[in-house]
Amino acid sequence: MGHLLMIESWVGSMSRLLPRAVRESGHEFTFLTRDLHHYLRSAPEGASHPLLGARNVLTWDTNDTQALLPQVERLHAALGFDGVITSCDYYLPAVAEVAARLGLPGAPPGAVADACRKDATRRVLHAAGVPGPRFAVCTDWAQAAEAAREIGYPLVIKPVDLCAGMFVRRVDDEGDLSRAYRALADFPVNARGQRRAPQVLLEELLEGPEVSVETVSFDGKSHVVGVTDKSVGGAPAFIETGHMFPAALDAESTTAAASTAQDALAALGLDHVVAHTEIKLTAHGPRVVEVNPRPAGNRITELVRHVTGIDLAAAFVDVALGNTPDLAARDTGLESAAIGFLVPETAGVLEAIEGADGLAERPGVLEAQLAEPGATVKAAGSNNEYLGHVMAADPTGGGARARVEELLGALRPRVATR
């Protein structure tokens, strides 16, 4: 049995999938957080959060990595950790630093730091010849305006250190750019109390379908588990509205996307990671959007598990412990699985979601989770404002996405505006 130190977590699905994977693999974990109430608030009424089922729950300032390192050394001497892990992007660099300090399995800290900073990722991949968009890293408005003119509109503006598509926007002219730039400047601290980097990233707008490549890296080699497709809406934002695994691609496109992701991981020097690499399939070939050195969110790992039997959360636990993960695909009786998200268009208070009666019992449905009446609704600007999701499968082919879209199309949120 291994003992993992888990430093923070997302409060979404991975915060439940990862504790489950730890327990089902026969291990245990100590949970370290700076704000226990962050997790208490996210638990359903009358239930405790799975993260709080840890062997130990400890509090410390996880945002101060240099102060955290000696504290974790003392904890390690007392409790004996076999690995360090997190599902939250904002703490991946700290986890890599802790693993290195304690001599435990983990990706090189510099590689993780580069992967978690979109500007650093761009520079590393460009230097290695891994294809991506034309880009510019800007530190002030004048530089951004000039770089935008050089790249050419339309383009994409991104923060270098946020997640879930926050403040990622398509801009079609200098007016759009100015508004997006100001909105980002007005968000100086992220949701975990960490001060943001002042740089912004401008990128050429890539045209074509977007997919993600799910990989597990250990012993110096990246293993491709599969390719997931993605639908995007909410322009000028880029909100993920759904996914299907496996992606509806021909063999050549699948191979090209997978190879590009492996090249990106190698260029960054990432090992001992489960990664989720986003790729645009343009007319000129695959282009890397970003590299995430952690398992996919939005329940993509569950799509993979339903179709292949491979549990990427369990693989994440294994590589954190230095064990060889089980990546053998099994016949699950399903050929494809898809998820679709109910994206709100207006802000207010949810009165009801019409058409939802009996949703979970309908043919092909694997999961159905919807917001309850009375929930506060925000007009979606990122992947953080969904009203719920529907997951469905197809046992005979690639029809899971069509089934999800049919089910979502019958749902009608009724929102009382304020």
Side-chain angles (χ1 to χ4, degrees):
M1 180 171 68
H3 184 190
L4 282 158
L5 173 63
M6 191 182 302
I7 301 175
E8 304 289 2
S9 169
W10 286 125
V11 294
S13 62
M14 191 52 66
S15 71
R16 291 161 174 79
L17 294 174
L18 195 52
R20 184 192 74 184
V22 173
R23 290 194 306 273
E24 291 182 354
S25 300
H27 307 301
E28 61 184 2
F29 69 100
T30 287
F31 185 54
L32 183 62
T33 177
R34 66 186 288 270
D35 181 10
L36 188 57
H37 294 285
H38 186 79
Y39 303 94
L40 294 172
R41 288 191 296 267
S42 71
E45 187 174 350
S48 63
H49 199 289
L51 290 167
L52 305 187
R55 172 180 166 183
N56 309 288
V57 178
L58 307 172
T59 57
W60 191 262
D61 185 2
T62 52
N63 284 349
D64 186 344
T65 302
Q66 293 312 303
L68 180 64
L69 290 172
Q71 173 69 5
V72 168
E73 282 185 312
R74 290 190 287 273
L75 289 174
H76 182 46
L79 300 175
F81 301 121
D82 302 296
V84 192
I85 201 166
T86 186
S87 66
C88 182
D89 298 55
Y90 298 138
Y91 296 96
L92 290 166
V95 161
E97 293 279 359
V98 168
R101 175 68 73 93
L102 301 184
L104 297 174
V112 174
D114 285 344
C116 290
R117 279 281 301 243
K118 294 179 176 66
D119 51 343
T121 298
R122 280 281 168 252
R123 291 186 178 111
V124 170
L125 298 189
H126 178 73
V130 179
R134 290 178 293 122
F135 70 96
V137 181
C138 309
T139 57
D140 59 38
W141 165 249
Q143 190 179 21
E146 181 180 356
R149 289 190 289 269
E150 291 177 0
I151 295 172
Y153 293 100
L155 50 79
V156 178
I157 180 173
K158 295 180 177 181
V160 299
D161 54 1
L162 287 176
C163 312
M166 291 183 68
F167 294 96
V168 178
R169 296 291 183 270
R170 169 181 170 142
V171 294
D172 290 299
D173 53 39
E174 193 164 297
D176 284 350
L177 179 64
S178 175
R179 287 184 287 274
Y181 188 94
R182 287 198 306 271
L184 186 51
D186 289 340
F187 191 78
V189 178
N190 70 23
R192 297 306 182 98
Q194 299 168 334
R195 182 158 290 278
R196 293 191 44 259
Q199 293 89 343
V200 299
L201 184 61
L202 300 185
E203 295 180 353
E204 168 193 9
L205 179 67
L206 297 174
E207 301 285 359
E210 186 168 339
V211 300
S212 62
V213 182
E214 322 310 334
T215 55
V216 182
S217 301
F218 57 95
D219 295 337
K221 183 177 180 181
S222 294
H223 303 259
V224 175
V225 174
V227 180
T228 311
D229 70 20
K230 177 188 298 187
S231 55
V232 178
F238 295 85
I239 300 171
E240 296 178 0
T241 59
H243 306 276
M244 186 171 76
F245 183 91
L249 299 174
D250 58 55
E252 183 180 358
S253 297
T254 299
T255 299
S259 296
T260 301
Q262 289 175 307
D263 290 345
L265 294 168
L268 287 162
L270 287 168
D271 196 13
H272 289 285
V273 296
V274 176
H276 167 73
T277 303
E278 297 176 344
I279 305 279
K280 274 277 192 178
L281 301 176
T282 76
H284 304 289
R287 298 290 184 267
V288 175
V289 176
E290 62 185 42
V291 179
N292 299 284
R294 44 78 179 161
N298 273 353
R299 299 191 73 75
I300 289 173
T301 57
E302 289 299 275
L303 301 182
V304 173
R305 185 178 64 83
H306 281 301
V307 174
T308 69
I310 297 171
D311 187 339
L312 287 171
F316 192 32
V317 170
D318 281 328
V319 297
L321 291 167
N323 299 333
T324 300
D326 179 6
L327 301 181
R330 293 174 284 280
D331 183 4
T332 65
L334 300 177
E335 291 294 319
S336 66
I339 189 168
F341 301 98
L342 192 58
V343 181
E345 297 179 355
T346 57
V349 176
L350 182 65
E351 293 184 333
I353 298 178
E354 297 173 354
D357 291 345
L359 180 61
E361 287 73 43
R362 294 178 193 174
V365 173
L366 299 172
E367 293 180 12
Q369 181 178 318
L370 299 174
E372 295 290 337
T376 300
V377 180
K378 298 180 180 178
S382 71
N383 299 334
N384 292 325
E385 287 91 25
Y386 300 132
L387 287 178
H389 70 263
V390 178
M391 185 187 295
D394 181 358
T396 61
R401 175 182 288 280
R403 179 59 176 148
V404 164
E405 289 176 350
E406 176 189 5
L407 292 164
L408 279 178
L411 301 180
R412 296 174 299 281
R414 194 169 71 241
V415 177
T417 56
R418 292 173 172 172

